[in-house]
Amino acid sequence: MKIKKLVSLILAVVIVLSFAGCVNQHANKENNEGTSLKNKDYRIAATSVATCEILEALGVESEHVIGIPHSDAYTVPKVYENAKSLGNPMAPDMEILKSLNADIVFTPNSLEGELKQKYDDIGVKSYFLNLKSVDGMYASIKDIGNMLGKTEEADKLVKEYEQFKAELSEENKNENPPKVLILMGLPGSYVVATESSYVGSLVKLAGAENVYGDGDGSDFLNVNVEDMLNKKPDIILRTAHALPEQVKIMFEDEFKTNDIWKHFDAVKNGKVYDLDNNKCGMSATFRYKDAINDLKTVLYEK
C-alpha cells in the first residue's frame, strides 16, 4: 500500500510540474524561423500523440516520422506505429532521440521549459507546438505546413476550422451565455482553468463565460474556494489532467466534505458536471468538435 501511495505521489508531482510549464500561448516562432524541410528527405521525431495526429492530417508520409511517443492512454496513428519509441511524452529518452539523427523534434510547448535545453544539448533542432488552445493548434499547423511543404494541406485544415467557428458563432448568438467555473484536477489537488487553457478555450468557443476570464494569460490559477464562490458561477465543470478515475473520486470527496461547496448556486441547482478528459484535457486535439458538442449539452441543456 505504501508503494502505491508513493507511486501516486510521484505521478502527482510530475503532473504539478507540468502545470508550471503551461504558460506560453504562442507557437515557438524563434525555433521555427528559417526552418524549411521542403527540399530534403527530412526525418521527424514527434513526442506527443496529438503531434502525430497533426502530421497524419497534413499527409506526412511514414518514412519521414522516425520517432514517436509511447502512451498507454492514447493510440499513435497506425501509419507511424513502426517508428522508434521515444518513451514517455513528458520525458522522451534523449539517448534514443540523439541516435535517430532527426532533423527536427516536435513537442507541445507546455514542455518547452523542461525540454528545450535538453534538445539543444544533444544537437537536435526543436519546434514547440502551441496545443494550449484550438486557435494555437491551427497556428502551429500552418507553421508545420510551411516547414514541410504541406501548405495546401494546412490551408485546407485551417479553412475547415474557420468555417466551423463561423457556424458555431452563428449558432451561439441567440444563447444566453452561462457563467462557468472550470476545475482541472489531479489526485489530491486541483486548480482553476482559465480561457487561456485548452479546456477553457473550448468553453469559450462554445459561447460560455469563464468566471476567471483569460487569467491575464495564465492557463491555470490557484484560487481559494471563497473567491470562487464570490464569482457566482452558474455551472461548475470538472476535468482531469491525468488519472481521471482517481481525480473523479477526489472531486466527489472534496464536494462532500468541504462545506462551502453547498453554498454555490451551481451545486444547489445540480449544475456540476464531470467532463471526459480525453476530449477536455490539457492539449488541443482534433477531438475538439466532439468536446464542444458535449459542452453544449451541459451548458445549454441540449
Side-chain angles (χ1 to χ4, degrees):
M1 183 63 68
K2 289 183 178 179
I3 293 175
K4 287 184 177 180
K5 287 183 178 179
L6 179 60
V7 171
S8 294
L9 179 60
I10 292 171
L11 283 171
V13 170
V14 171
I15 292 167
V16 168
L17 289 175
S18 75
F19 275 128
C22 299
V23 177
N24 184 5
Q25 287 291 300
H26 303 287
N28 192 321
K29 297 295 183 183
E30 179 182 348
N31 286 331
N32 180 47
E33 201 164 314
T35 299
S36 176
L37 304 175
K38 298 175 187 178
N39 300 316
K40 63 186 295 187
D41 188 20
Y42 54 82
R43 295 162 60 84
I44 297 170
T47 67
S48 78
V49 174
T51 300
C52 291
E53 291 173 345
I54 287 171
L55 294 175
E56 181 187 36
L58 287 170
V60 176
E61 297 83 357
S62 59
E63 59 264 28
H64 294 305
V65 180
I66 55 159
I68 58 174
H70 170 76
S71 174
D72 293 324
Y74 304 100
T75 303
V76 171
K78 192 170 183 179
V79 65
Y80 305 133
E81 63 183 5
N82 292 324
K84 185 75 172 179
S85 173
L86 298 169
N88 189 326
M90 294 183 66
D93 189 308
M94 292 296 153
E95 289 188 13
I96 294 176
L97 179 59
K98 184 177 181 180
S99 72
L100 293 178
N101 295 315
D103 293 298
I104 195 164
V105 56
F106 290 137
T107 295
N109 72 348
S110 58
L111 296 171
E112 184 174 354
E114 289 78 17
L115 296 177
K116 175 65 169 67
Q117 188 59 53
K118 292 181 179 179
Y119 293 153
D120 290 347
D121 290 343
I122 62 172
V124 178
K125 190 172 182 64
S126 56
Y127 173 78
F128 293 88
L129 293 80
N130 180 0
L131 301 183
K132 305 308 300 173
S133 68
V134 186
D135 283 347
M137 179 176 73
Y138 279 95
S140 291
I141 286 172
K142 288 199 71 170
D143 281 350
I144 294 172
N146 289 332
M147 277 189 241
L148 306 182
K150 298 286 185 179
T151 54
E152 186 177 335
E153 292 86 349
D155 288 345
K156 180 180 178 182
L157 291 171
V158 171
K159 184 177 179 180
E160 290 173 353
Y161 172 54
E162 294 297 338
Q163 183 177 345
F164 172 77
K165 279 205 301 183
E167 292 172 354
L168 192 61
S169 178
E170 181 68 21
E171 184 180 329
N172 291 337
K173 71 179 184 180
N174 295 321
E175 298 287 0
N176 183 25
K179 296 172 62 179
V180 179
L181 169 67
I182 311 171
L183 304 178
M184 173 68 76
L186 56 148
S189 182
Y190 59 89
V191 289
V192 168
T194 74
E195 64 185 33
S196 297
S197 68
Y198 173 54
V199 64
S201 77
L202 292 173
V203 170
K204 182 179 180 181
L205 278 172
E209 176 189 346
N210 190 310
V211 294
Y212 283 95
D214 66 359
D216 291 328
S218 296
D219 304 355
F220 303 101
L221 303 173
N222 286 302
V223 182
N224 62 52
V225 184
E226 289 79 7
D227 190 74
M228 299 181 206
L229 178 61
N230 290 333
K231 295 291 186 180
K232 302 183 186 300
D234 302 309
I235 295 171
I236 297 174
L237 301 177
R238 309 184 303 200
T239 189
H241 184 322
L243 307 174
E245 294 305 317
Q246 293 184 40
V247 169
K248 185 175 181 180
I249 293 171
M250 181 270 295
F251 272 134
E252 289 174 350
D253 184 62
E254 163 69 12
F255 275 61
K256 285 178 183 176
T257 59
N258 190 340
D259 191 61
I260 194 171
W261 289 107
K262 72 179 184 181
H263 299 291
F264 282 73
D265 288 338
V267 175
K268 294 177 186 176
N269 298 327
K271 301 289 187 181
V272 180
Y273 303 97
D274 291 308
L275 304 175
D276 181 350
N277 80 308
N278 287 320
K279 300 176 186 176
C280 301
M282 287 291 294
S283 295
T285 73
F286 289 118
R287 290 180 288 279
Y288 69 89
K289 292 182 181 179
D290 292 335
I292 289 174
N293 286 332
D294 289 350
L295 283 169
K296 288 192 293 186
T297 299
V298 299
L299 293 175
Y300 306 113
E301 297 186 336
K302 290 184 178 179

